[in-house]
Amino acid sequence: MKNKNSNPSIRCSVTQCAYHCGDENYCSLDKISVSRCAAQVTDCAGTECASFTCRPGAKLGLNNK
Ligand code: SF4
């Protein structure tokens, strides 16, 4: 899908997100929120994009980017 404007400041490979730019590995939002998903954060696995919104069809494994 190429009906979104990519934000070159936010690289992202989460194609299951509704804000992902599809063929380009960028986010389409102007800004995102990042939060922790573990009590003690010692590496990137303890962080997450809190702006993630599941793309329709992603839960079914559909690739409709
Ligand atoms: S909202 Fe977060 S997970 Fe979704 S495309 Fe943007 S950076 Fe990626």
Side-chain angles (χ1 to χ4, degrees):
M1 180 185 297
K2 186 61 181 115
N3 60 353
K4 300 174 185 169
N5 293 322
S6 60
N7 181 340
S9 296
I10 308 175
R11 286 189 57 82
C12 180
S13 60
V14 185
T15 57
Q16 294 83 4
C17 181
Y19 300 119
H20 190 269
C21 283
D23 293 338
E24 299 179 89
N25 274 334
Y26 290 102
C27 180
S28 61
L29 295 176
D30 292 336
K31 59 186 175 185
I32 62 169
S33 296
V34 177
S35 62
R36 64 183 186 186
C37 54
Q40 297 295 324
V41 179
T42 56
D43 57 28
C44 65
T47 70
E48 65 181 0
C49 177
S51 299
F52 171 83
T53 299
C54 192
R55 173 175 55 74
K59 290 180 181 175
L60 300 174
L62 300 176
N63 185 10
N64 63 349
K65 61 181 183 179

